[in-house]
Amino acid sequence: MDKIKIIKDYARNLKLGYIRDNILKIIDDADKKDLSYHDLIIELLKGEIDQRNRKAQERRLKQAGFPVIKTIEEFDTEFQKSITKKQINRLIEMDWIDNLYNLIFLGPPGVGKTHLAIALGYKAVEMGYKVSFTSMDRLMYYLKTQDISRKSKSKINRIYSSDLVIIDEIGYLPIFHEEANMFFQLISNLHEQTSIIITSNKGFEEWTELLQDVALTTAILDRLTYRCEIFNMTGKSYRLENRKSF
C-alpha cells in the first residue's frame, strides 16, 4: 500500500485533519528545509494545533451570533469623543471579563454603542472567550419560547455557559411585566457568574418606566451595576453624519 495513503488513513482515524490534508506539502517542505526528525514532528504537531485553534475560533464566532462583524480598529474615536483610545485599549485587555465586571453603554442612536459591544465581543472570541450576542427583543423571544422551541432553549443554554453575554438595544421596544420578570431572573442567574455588556438608548432614570416596576428595576440595576463600568456616550449619529446615497 502507498505509504502516503497509509499516513492519511492513520491521520483520519486519529482525527488529525491538518496532517491528513497537508502531508504531501509537509514532506516537501521538510525536504526543502532539510528538517531533522525532531523538527518535522514539531511542525506536524504545531500545524495540527494551529488548525484546531482556528476551527475552535470559527465555532465560537458562529455560536456568538453577531449580526455583523465590527472591529475595534474600525471605531472612530475622532468622531466619538465620549470614550478615549486609552479606555478602549484598557477594555481590549479583557481582564474585566476575568474579574466578572459588566460594561454598560448608554446614549442615543448612532453614537457607536452596538459597534463597541460587537467589537469587544469579537475581540473576546479571538482571545478564546465564549461569547453570546442577542438583541433585547430576541432575548425576550428566546426566554418566552425556550420550553417549546429547541432553538430558543439552545440559545438560552448558550447564554448561561458564556464568559460574556451582550444584550443590545434595551429600551427600543416596550417590555411587559412578565418579560421584565424573566429578564430579572436571567440577570440574577448571570450575576457574578458571567460578564455582561448592555447597550441602551435609555438612561437609568428611564428604566423604571421601561420595565414598569420600581422594585424590579432597582433589583436589576443593583446587580448590573455592582461590578460595572458605565459609559455615557453622547454626540451626533455617525450613520447620519456619514450617510451614503447611491
Side-chain angles (χ1 to χ4, degrees):
M1 183 182 289
D2 178 58
K3 290 183 178 179
I4 295 298
K5 186 177 186 307
I6 293 174
I7 292 172
K8 287 186 175 183
D9 287 343
Y10 284 165
R12 184 178 297 107
N13 288 334
L14 292 169
K15 294 182 170 56
L16 302 174
Y18 173 77
I19 295 174
R20 180 198 64 210
D21 297 335
N22 297 279
I23 186 59
L24 289 174
K25 182 179 183 301
I26 292 167
I27 292 173
D28 186 51
D29 287 346
D31 285 339
K32 289 177 181 177
K33 297 175 183 176
D34 196 23
L35 296 181
S36 68
Y37 294 133
H38 297 87
D39 288 336
L40 175 58
I41 292 172
I42 289 171
E43 287 291 315
L44 290 170
L45 296 177
K46 180 179 182 301
E48 198 65 46
I49 290 171
D50 288 346
Q51 178 163 291
R52 291 187 182 193
N53 287 340
R54 283 194 302 274
K55 288 187 175 181
Q57 181 175 319
E58 288 169 4
R59 283 195 300 273
R60 290 194 304 273
L61 183 58
K62 181 178 180 181
Q63 292 169 345
F66 298 124
V68 293
I69 298 300
K70 299 286 186 180
T71 66
I72 290 294
E73 292 74 21
E74 294 169 337
F75 188 78
D76 189 350
T77 53
E78 293 299 317
F79 183 85
Q80 175 50 264
K81 297 182 182 297
S82 300
I83 185 168
T84 66
K85 286 184 178 180
K86 183 178 180 180
Q87 288 174 308
I88 291 175
N89 289 337
R90 185 74 179 84
L91 291 176
I92 62 177
E93 292 176 3
M94 299 298 167
D95 56 348
W96 53 277
I97 295 181
D98 298 327
N99 293 316
L100 296 173
Y101 274 78
N102 302 326
L103 304 179
I104 299 180
F105 297 106
L106 303 175
V111 295
K113 304 184 302 295
T114 299
H115 185 139
L116 267 181
I118 293 175
L120 288 169
Y122 180 65
K123 187 70 174 178
V125 167
E126 287 186 320
M127 294 174 67
Y129 294 98
K130 200 172 179 181
V131 178
S132 288
F133 176 97
T134 179
S135 63
M136 186 63 172
D137 65 315
R138 292 305 297 172
L139 176 62
M140 290 299 101
Y141 172 79
Y142 296 137
L143 288 171
K144 288 188 290 187
T145 61
Q146 61 179 313
D147 292 332
I148 58 174
S149 167
R150 184 178 300 176
K151 182 178 178 181
S152 294
K153 184 64 175 177
S154 176
K155 183 66 177 182
I156 295 300
N157 288 340
R158 169 77 188 182
I159 285 172
Y160 280 129
S161 66
S162 293
D163 303 302
L164 171 62
V165 174
I166 302 170
I167 305 174
D168 191 36
E169 297 181 338
I170 292 180
Y172 285 89
L173 294 174
I175 298 173
F176 301 106
H177 187 69
E178 178 191 359
E179 296 172 330
N181 277 314
M182 289 189 290
F183 184 54
F184 168 72
Q185 289 298 327
L186 179 81
I187 297 301
S188 293
N189 291 333
L190 293 176
H191 180 55
E192 296 196 273
Q193 302 296 321
T194 300
S195 287
I196 304 170
I197 294 179
I198 296 285
T199 75
S200 178
N201 67 328
K202 304 286 188 185
F204 290 152
E205 68 280 359
E206 300 175 270
W207 280 40
T208 299
E209 182 182 349
L210 174 68
L211 298 171
Q212 303 179 39
D213 189 309
V214 175
L216 204 59
T217 302
T218 301
I220 290 171
L221 289 177
D222 179 67
R223 285 160 176 77
L224 284 175
T225 60
Y226 172 60
R227 300 163 66 90
C228 181
E229 197 72 32
I230 301 169
F231 297 89
N232 287 293
M233 301 176 69
T234 60
K236 298 178 180 179
S237 167
Y238 184 87
R239 288 186 290 270
L240 290 179
E241 290 296 304
N242 294 272
R243 185 179 65 85
K244 294 179 174 62
S245 171
F246 68 87

